[in-house]
Amino acid sequence: MAVYTDITEDDLKTFLTQYDCGELTSYKGIAEGVENSNFLLHTTRDPLILTLYEKRVEKNDLPFFLGLMQHLAARGLSCPLPLPRNDGALLGELSGRPAALISFLEGMWLRKPEARHCREVGVALAQMHVAGEGFAIERPNALSCAGWQPLWDKSETRADEVEPGLQDEIRAELAFFDAHWPTDLPTGVIHADLFPDNVFFLGDTLSGLIDFYFACNDMLAYDVSICLNAWCFEKDGAYNVTKGTAMLDGYQSVRPLSEAEIAALPTLARGSALRFFLTRLYDWLMTPAGALVTKKDPLEYLRKLRFHRQVATGAEYGLAKA
């Protein structure tokens, strides 16, 4: 469920008078997503997405997110584009929440992606990394290595409720990353959340990337590792090297990975698995019963972390020259 703040038709029509977007004909809430309230609007012109930014999104970060979409779209990346208000601002307010109108992107996300789709995702991710060059605003990654210990602190005392021995295992992981997390790899703007539900396809053709609300500045290869975790494991927990090969080949067809990035890939993939395990663990333990949020199983990412712990080289992910 992703409608946390309700809106009235009258308030919405008043809000839309600040934009050159036509007249409202209908609107409905969008159930997917977990961070913000989203609505699909139909107007006498084009369909639009209305996003109300909830408390988990910092208002001070919104110029980065909205400006980044403008920057990427201007450089040819297919992604939603914020609509300016009549006064030129990208951000307004509706029902007590910061709000923006975003262009509607055609397509659907894939429930069962195959290797050919993974290759397209790799290409699009590299294109985004290249297109992000020169974006003037910076936003640190609050959920990179330095942010994991504070996140763990919120869940540690109850971690063994999820699986016995988890406290000791995660403490050891955090100690490992304190000693081994890379610090000298190429950096830039990353998506940081490019899961299947944030990539749209029309048939087998990738039509665009959405949901840039975790985007930030960090190591580009870290973004690659997030995609390996999100796209290249099967439901039974097995890593699909065919999908991994396709994704990495697609990425490197646009932006070849350096030797240092390739060498660091097992550590980065292990770290990104820990990052999503920790956020899922927190939500699993702390979300009240009956809340309109679907909790995601943290153990899925614990299993992925354990897989990466055994990986020695990039070749095991499907890199042809590792």
Side-chain angles (χ1 to χ4, degrees):
M1 183 71 176
V3 177
Y4 304 101
T5 300
D6 202 4
I7 57 175
T8 69
E9 183 174 349
D10 287 344
D11 286 346
L12 177 55
K13 287 182 175 179
T14 299
F15 175 80
L16 294 180
T17 62
Q18 303 171 77
Y19 295 84
D20 183 17
C21 63
E23 295 183 7
L24 182 70
T25 59
S26 66
Y27 73 100
K28 65 178 181 179
I30 299 173
E32 294 175 341
V34 297
E35 292 295 321
N36 304 306
S37 295
N38 296 289
F39 300 83
L40 173 61
L41 312 185
H42 289 279
T43 75
T44 50
R45 295 186 189 174
D46 300 310
L48 297 166
I49 300 295
L50 167 67
T51 297
L52 275 61
Y53 299 99
E54 301 293 346
K55 294 179 181 179
R56 291 181 69 171
V57 177
E58 293 288 341
K59 185 175 181 179
N60 291 339
D61 286 334
L62 293 177
F64 176 92
F65 300 140
L66 299 175
L68 176 61
M69 286 187 274
Q70 280 193 321
H71 178 91
L72 295 174
R75 283 153 182 79
L77 189 81
S78 180
C79 66
L81 185 63
L83 271 67
R85 301 192 317 176
N86 296 330
D87 62 4
L90 297 179
L91 195 64
E93 184 174 304
L94 179 60
S95 297
R97 295 283 187 264
L101 283 183
I102 312 289
S103 63
F104 178 79
L105 188 66
E106 293 283 353
M108 297 180 63
W109 69 274
L110 301 175
R111 270 64 176 179
K112 295 181 179 180
E114 299 180 9
R116 64 183 183 274
H117 306 123
C118 292
R119 189 183 197 284
E120 286 212 37
V121 172
V123 170
L125 181 67
Q127 290 172 338
M128 189 209 119
H129 288 168
V130 173
E133 294 174 1
F135 183 52
I137 309 174
E138 292 193 1
R139 177 178 182 265
N141 186 1
L143 292 173
S144 192
C145 188
W148 297 339
Q149 183 66 54
L151 189 56
W152 169 242
D153 290 343
K154 299 175 182 178
S155 305
E156 181 178 6
T157 58
R158 296 183 57 196
D160 282 9
E161 297 176 22
V162 177
E163 181 177 294
L166 202 50
Q167 281 191 2
D168 289 341
E169 182 173 1
I170 300 306
R171 286 170 185 161
E173 286 297 308
L174 290 167
F176 170 83
F177 289 116
D178 280 344
H180 298 287
W181 192 243
T183 59
D184 57 353
L185 299 180
T187 61
V189 176
I190 70 169
H191 187 283
D193 194 41
L194 202 60
F195 279 64
D197 57 350
N198 288 331
V199 180
F200 280 5
F201 283 81
L202 287 170
D204 285 334
T205 301
L206 192 150
S207 60
L209 311 181
I210 68 166
D211 198 350
F212 288 83
Y213 300 114
F214 284 100
C216 55
N217 294 87
D218 206 335
M219 294 174 287
L220 301 178
Y222 179 62
D223 222 10
V224 176
S225 78
I226 291 172
C227 286
L228 291 175
N229 275 316
W231 290 82
C232 300
F233 284 83
E234 299 302 325
K235 288 188 176 181
D236 64 0
Y239 181 76
N240 187 321
V241 71
T242 302
K243 290 182 177 179
T245 297
M247 176 169 287
L248 292 165
D249 283 352
Y251 185 89
Q252 295 203 102
S253 71
V254 176
R255 180 189 171 269
L257 294 165
S258 69
E259 290 185 8
E261 288 176 307
I262 291 171
L265 201 54
T267 299
L268 295 171
R270 181 173 166 184
S272 62
L274 179 64
R275 171 262 187 266
F276 286 99
F277 166 76
L278 289 173
T279 50
R280 287 186 176 196
L281 179 67
Y282 176 82
D283 288 343
W284 189 267
L285 293 172
M286 305 303 174
T287 300
L292 296 177
V293 176
T294 301
K295 297 189 291 187
K296 297 178 180 179
D297 182 8
L299 294 181
E300 175 190 348
Y301 268 80
L302 182 64
R303 291 188 288 269
K304 292 178 181 180
L305 184 154
R306 289 167 175 166
F307 167 82
H308 297 304
R309 194 187 292 153
Q310 307 304 316
V311 173
T313 71
E316 295 176 61
Y317 295 116
L319 277 166
K321 298 178 181 180

